[in-house]
């Protein structure tokens, strides 16, 4: 709920700053109060007058404004908010935050605050993908900063790719989620979801029937209990939930990289249907029929086991690791053996024989296998499975 909440909104200097104006409008419409802080670069893109008029509040710009210091002080300004939001977070602002700089009002507020911080990065594709930005991102995440976006899209600079800021409505949903007081408030939870695609050549791939519905429902349920959710998803057919950090991947190996980059987390819920094998001899250009009638021989290599890697992580094993097991026969026996083999705490097992309609469907009948034994739940909507599982995860993290 954003009504009655106070948002300290730091507007960085990027073309996406114009979207911050819309965000102010949405926050105000939802009953929040907004205190805008405009960086020097931000003021090149939006005017203080526009922001002040929409926010109904003075815009803060200068660290050394003495009247301001006498009236309020930057320390107090940084603490009076319920949440500090940076929109857009430029590469420069992220670097300052990660490095602990405090040489202007925005960076000083970010250093001085004792409140949760959320950033919506926006920058050119190359700048986003630059190792320095990725290092800063990892540092900020480890510091507990909530990151929303960026997403793939065309950018003002004419390039296409990751770096485009998420839309204001999406930022609003993330703010709403961040302000939710729930049993998972302050907890960071990783959820993997969807299938993986393993390329055969540049146009063909091997996939499975996972829709990503159960993982998506789980991420939403964990978010609703106040968790900061990092959602690593393969190419799913259902859209990712709002208000979570979405990281899109295609292959199992990319998923492993994204998962490792997301650590440390309090809990990891691995609902993705990861391909066990990839094509070892994937072609770099499209395979052609050679006229002889001979089919190409595909060779397979085993993919890394992401769940086992996280469960057996030497330094950053999450406090709770939950795996899934999609089986077609002797479900509980297989899943019980899998729990031990992979080293996770719980396995959520389900029967995915085609006649159950579970894979790709909207209902699920699961058995939760833990060190205490197996507990079967009746068939219910995947949303309900997600809510119950999220509540149980919250209980386990509290206990
Ligand atoms: O071995 P199996 O695929 O049945 O195990 C299912 C569980 O293991 C799921 O939680 C899935 O996300 C995870 N898994 C994984 N990496 C793999 C294969 C499965 O993390 N390569």
């Amino acid at each position: 709920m954003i009504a009655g909440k106070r948002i300290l909104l730091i507007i960085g200097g990027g073309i996406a700053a114009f979207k911050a104006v819309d965000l102010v409008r949405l926050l105000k419409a939802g009953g929040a109060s907004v205190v805008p802080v405009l960086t020097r670069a931000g003021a090149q893109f939006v005017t203080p007058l526009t922001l002040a008029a929409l926010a109904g509040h003075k815009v803060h710009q200068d660290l050394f404004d003495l009247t301001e210091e006498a009236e309020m002080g930057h320390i107090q300004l940084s603490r009076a908010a319920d949440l500090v939001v940076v929109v857009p977070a430029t590469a420069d602002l992220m670097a300052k935050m990660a490095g602990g700089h405090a040489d202007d009002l925005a960076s000083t507020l970010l250093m001085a605050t004792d409140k949760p911080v959320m950033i919506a990065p926006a920058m050119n594709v190359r700048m986003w993908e630059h190792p320095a930005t990725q290092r800063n991102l990892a540092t900020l995440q480890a510091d507990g900063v909530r990151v929303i976006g960026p997403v793939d899209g065309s950018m003002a600079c004419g390039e296409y790719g990751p770096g485009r800021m998420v839309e204001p409505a999406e930022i609003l949903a993330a703010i709403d989620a961040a302000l939710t007081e729930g049993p998972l408030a302050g907890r960071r939870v990783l959820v993997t979801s969807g299938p993986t695609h393993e390329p055969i050549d540049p146009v063909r791939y091997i996939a499975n029937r996972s829709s990503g519905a159960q993982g998506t429902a789980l991420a939403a349920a964990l978010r609703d209990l106040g968790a900061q959710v990092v959602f690593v998803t393969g190419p799913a057919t259902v859209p990712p939930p709002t208000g979570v950090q979405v990281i899109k991947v295609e292959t199992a190996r990319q998923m492993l990289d994204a998962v490792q980059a997301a650590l440390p987390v309090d809990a990891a819920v691995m609902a993705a249907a990861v391909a066990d094998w990839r094509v070892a001899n994937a072609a770099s250009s499209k395979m052609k029929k050679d006229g002889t009638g001979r089919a190409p021989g595909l060779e397979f290599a085993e993919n890394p086991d992401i769940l086992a890697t996280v469960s057996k992580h030497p330094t950053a094993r999450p406090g709770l690791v939950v795996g899934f097991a999609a089986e077609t026969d002797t479900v509980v026996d297989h899943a019980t053996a899998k729990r031990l083999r992979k080293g996770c705490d719980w396995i959520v097992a389900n029967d995915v024989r085609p006649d159950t309609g579970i894979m790709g469907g909207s209902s699920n009948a699961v058995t939760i296998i833990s060190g205490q034994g197996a507990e079967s739940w009746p068939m219910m909507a995947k949303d309900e499975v997600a809510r119950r599982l999220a509540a149980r995860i919250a209980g386990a993290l509290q206990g």
Side-chain angles (χ1 to χ4, degrees), residues 157-179:
C157 54
E159 288 185 36
Y160 185 93
R164 187 186 160 100
M165 193 169 85
V166 293
E167 293 303 316
E170 175 94 356
I171 301 173
L172 182 74
I175 291 173
D176 195 72
L179 292 170

Side-chain angles (χ1 to χ4, degrees), residues 192 270-272 274-276 303-307 323-327 338 342:
T192 70
M270 317 290 264
V274 184
D276 287 325
N303 267 331
D305 192 311
I306 305 165
L307 176 60
F324 278 66
E327 302 286 353
K338 192 167 287 177
K342 302 218 181 198

Side-chain angles (χ1 to χ4, degrees), residues 199-291:
I200 296 170
D201 67 18
V203 293
R204 305 180 179 96
Y205 56 83
I206 291 174
N208 60 63
R209 294 183 197 280
S210 165
S211 62
Q214 187 64 81
T216 301
L218 258 162
L222 291 159
R223 172 204 65 198
D224 290 346
L225 294 184
Q228 178 187 356
V229 177
V230 184
F231 185 67
V232 177
T233 177
T237 48
V238 300
T242 56
V244 305
Q245 187 193 352
V246 180
I247 301 167
K248 290 186 178 170
V249 297
E250 292 219 341
T251 68
R253 286 189 292 176
Q254 288 167 357
M255 187 173 277
L256 175 66
D257 288 346
V259 161
Q260 282 180 319
L263 298 177
V265 293
D266 295 292
V269 184
M270 317 290 264
V274 184
D276 287 325
W277 301 281
R278 66 177 177 276
V279 179
N281 58 342
S284 55
S285 48
K286 190 184 168 204
M287 289 177 169
K288 301 257 187 260
K289 286 185 277 193
D290 66 3

Side-chain angles (χ1 to χ4, degrees), residues 35 45 67 73 112 131 137 143 148 153 169 171 183 205 208 211 219 226 257 271 278 310 312 318 323 359 384:
V35 179
F45 294 89
T67 353
L137 174 69
D143 288 349
I148 173 93
I171 301 173
Y205 56 83
N208 60 63
S211 62
D257 288 346
R278 66 177 177 276
V310 170
K312 296 172 186 172
M359 200 122 184
E384 185 56 25

